[in-house]
Each structure stands twice: as structure tokens, then as C-alpha cells.
């Protein structure tokens, strides 16, 4: 793997002074694909929110290097599709265009160059035919493609995805993960993905972060995702 892009240094995270995960010390390599696994309530979303700066660490710190241009890292975030309120009459293009808002001054129209770039991102995500369709009416897999296009429109150094294959079938899961893997290689970005799909992710991830009983186990897929190791983790926890 390449050099460390993000480092967790004795990090403890949680809410109202109560830790969910404690004493995390590990690094995320530049241009790598890391999968975050764990049961519901294990701290996956808390870890993402802390990394994105939405909540503050209880202890320790997160260090990151600069992007290849020398600027602070840009994070492209792909939430679960169900987090979008269906009452909004937004098209796929409207949702993807949100990714450019960080570069547009408040009160200004989105420039034509940014709109053109958004269309490129939709094409890259295989979602160009969804641009004029209402987002709320799309299937789960189609919504994820639009949300990935929105994240790509931020021009990210790090792509963070929260269960992008939740609620979609096996074929759509394969297609989405293949696209994410190809995008990482082509754009040389770092990917962190939260997932419950052990079988599918083992073919794409280079590193696994398994959140369990307040701790984080780190390793390669062929180390942590064997049947024997999975049983061991669930039966005796993380030593």
C-alpha cells in the first residue's frame, strides 16, 4: 500500500462523554480501499461522522496529510439512499449537482462548467439516463449511482460510503462495488465503505476495519474474513 493519508491516534469516539470506540490507533493508506464492518450499534456511523468532522473526538486525534495539490482533503460522502426525504421533487441531476455547491458562492447560480462536470459525473456513475427522473422514484441501486455521482462532483480525495448496497439485490451490489473499485483506480482516490456484505466486499477491499465490542480489529480480507476467523470473533470477541 501507499503512504498513510489518515491516521487515528489513540482516538476515542462517542456521545455525551460516553465512548462507543476507544483507543483506536491505525492508519488509512492513500489511494486504498477500506471496508468498515460491524453489527448495528458497533460505532460505524459514529466513526464516519467523527472522520467527517460532524462530531468531535472524546480523546485522541485524527491526523491527515494534504491532497496531491497541497490543499486540505476533500471528502465525498455517500449516505444511505433512504436518508433523502421523498417529498422533495428533486431530479437525479438536482441531487448530483449538490456536490458542486462547496465551490459555488452563496446566492450564485451554479456555473455552466460545474453543471457540465456534474453531467460527466453522472455518466461516470452510469446514471446519465437518470438525470431527469425524480430521485424519490428511483430504485435502490439507481439512487446509489446518483449519490455516488454527487460525491464525485465534490472532486473528492476520499470517498466515504455508508452502506451503498443496502436494500439492493446481489447483481446491483456487484455492479456498484465494481464501479467504486474502478473509480478508485482511475481517479486515484481513497475509499472507505461501511457494509454488512462480507461475501461481496472481500473481493474489493484491501483492508478491513471490524468494529466489535468497543474495539477495532484491522487486517486484510484474507485474514479476517475466513469462516474460522469470523466464528472466532463472534464467539470470543477481540482480544
Amino acid at each position: 500500500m501507499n503512504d498513510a493519508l489518515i491516521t487515528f491516534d489513540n482516538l476515542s469516539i462517542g456521545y455525551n462523554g460516553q465512548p462507543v470506540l476507544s483507543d483506536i490507533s491505525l492508519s488509512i493508506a492513500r489511494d486504498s480501499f477500506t471496508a468498515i464492518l460491524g453489527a448495528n450499534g458497533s460505532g460505524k456511523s459514529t466513526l464516519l461522522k467523527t472522520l467527517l468532522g460532524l462530531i468531535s473526538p472524546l480523546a485522541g486525534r485524527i491526523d491527515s496529510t494534504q491532497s496531491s495539490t497541497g490543499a486540505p482533503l476533500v471528502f465525498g460522502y455517500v449516505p444511505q439512499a433512504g436518508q433523502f426525504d421523498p417529498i422533495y421533487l428533486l431530479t437525479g441531476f438536482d441531487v448530483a449537482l449538490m456536490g458542486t455547491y462547496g465551490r459555488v458562492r452563496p446566492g450564485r447560480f451554479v456555473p455552466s462548467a460545474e453543471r457540465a462536470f456534474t453531467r460527466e459525473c453522472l455518466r461516470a456513475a452510469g446514471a446519465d439516463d437518470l438525470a431527469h427522473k425524480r430521485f424519490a422514484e428511483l430504485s435502490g441501486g439507481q439512487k446509489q449511482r446518483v449519490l455516488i455521482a454527487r460525491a464525485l462532483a465534490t472532486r473528492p480525495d476520499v470517498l466515504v460510503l455508508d452502506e451503498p448496497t443496502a436494500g439492493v439485490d446481489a447483481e446491483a451490489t456487484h455492479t456498484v462495488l465494481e464501479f467504486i473499485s474502478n473509480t478508485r483506480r482511475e481517479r486515484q482516490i481513497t475509499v472507505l465503505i461501511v457494509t454488512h456484505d462480507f461475501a461481496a466486499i472481500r473481493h474489493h477491499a484491501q483492508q478491513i476495519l471490524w468494529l466489535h465490542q468497543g474495539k477495532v480489529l484491522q487486517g486484510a480480507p484474507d485474514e479476517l474474513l475466513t469462516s474460522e476467523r469470523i466464528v472466532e470473533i463472534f464467539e470470543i470477541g477481540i482480544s
Side-chain angles (χ1 to χ4, degrees):
M1 285 200 183
N2 298 316
D3 59 302
L5 182 71
I6 300 168
T7 301
F8 300 156
D9 185 6
N10 293 313
L11 184 70
S12 293
I13 62 176
Y15 301 93
N16 301 319
Q18 298 298 314
V20 176
L21 297 168
S22 302
D23 303 321
I24 307 168
S25 292
L26 56 86
S27 62
I28 306 296
R30 188 184 299 272
D31 302 340
S32 63
F33 191 128
T34 296
I36 303 173
L37 308 179
N40 292 335
S42 62
K44 301 185 299 298
S45 293
T46 305
L47 183 61
L48 290 190
K49 290 176 181 178
T50 306
L51 176 62
L52 295 170
L54 301 177
I55 61 176
S56 299
L58 299 180
R61 67 177 190 267
I62 300 175
D63 296 322
S64 61
T65 60
Q66 295 179 324
S67 69
S68 58
T69 63
L73 294 181
V74 174
F75 289 85
Y77 176 47
V78 182
Q80 295 183 36
Q83 294 180 16
F84 271 77
D85 194 324
I87 68 171
Y88 292 121
L89 301 178
L90 300 176
T91 65
F93 181 80
D94 294 331
V95 172
L97 190 65
M98 293 177 183
T100 69
Y101 289 176
R103 299 188 296 273
V104 178
R105 292 171 57 187
R108 297 287 300 273
F109 288 108
V110 178
S112 58
E114 294 286 10
R115 299 177 73 86
F117 180 65
T118 298
R119 285 189 283 272
E120 290 179 15
C121 292
L122 284 165
R123 281 194 292 272
D128 49 333
D129 60 329
L130 308 175
H132 300 294
K133 295 183 179 180
R134 185 177 172 186
F135 181 81
E137 296 175 349
L138 301 179
S139 69
Q142 290 173 327
K143 287 179 179 178
Q144 291 303 335
R145 287 182 172 276
V146 171
L147 292 177
I148 291 171
R150 185 188 72 153
L152 293 177
T154 67
R155 301 182 188 269
D157 302 295
V158 184
L159 187 60
V160 180
L161 306 103
D162 189 358
E163 299 191 37
T165 60
V168 302
D169 59 29
E171 183 177 355
T173 293
H174 173 75
T175 300
V176 169
L177 291 177
E178 280 288 338
F179 170 73
I180 293 168
S181 291
N182 292 337
T183 299
R184 181 193 66 80
R185 288 190 293 267
E186 293 169 1
R187 301 197 176 209
Q188 297 183 316
I189 60 179
T190 303
V191 169
L192 286 87
I193 178 172
V194 167
T195 181
H196 289 285
D197 197 329
F198 291 13
I201 203 63
R202 68 184 305 148
H203 301 295
H204 300 277
Q206 298 164 308
Q207 174 179 239
I208 301 295
L209 301 182
W210 195 327
L211 283 52
H212 187 62
Q213 297 183 349
K215 300 296 181 181
V216 179
L217 189 63
Q218 179 183 24
D222 58 3
E223 297 171 354
L224 296 185
L225 297 184
T226 64
S227 299
E228 296 80 5
R229 191 69 175 110
I230 291 172
V231 170
E232 178 187 357
I233 291 170
F234 279 121
E235 287 190 347
I236 66 173
I238 297 174
S239 58

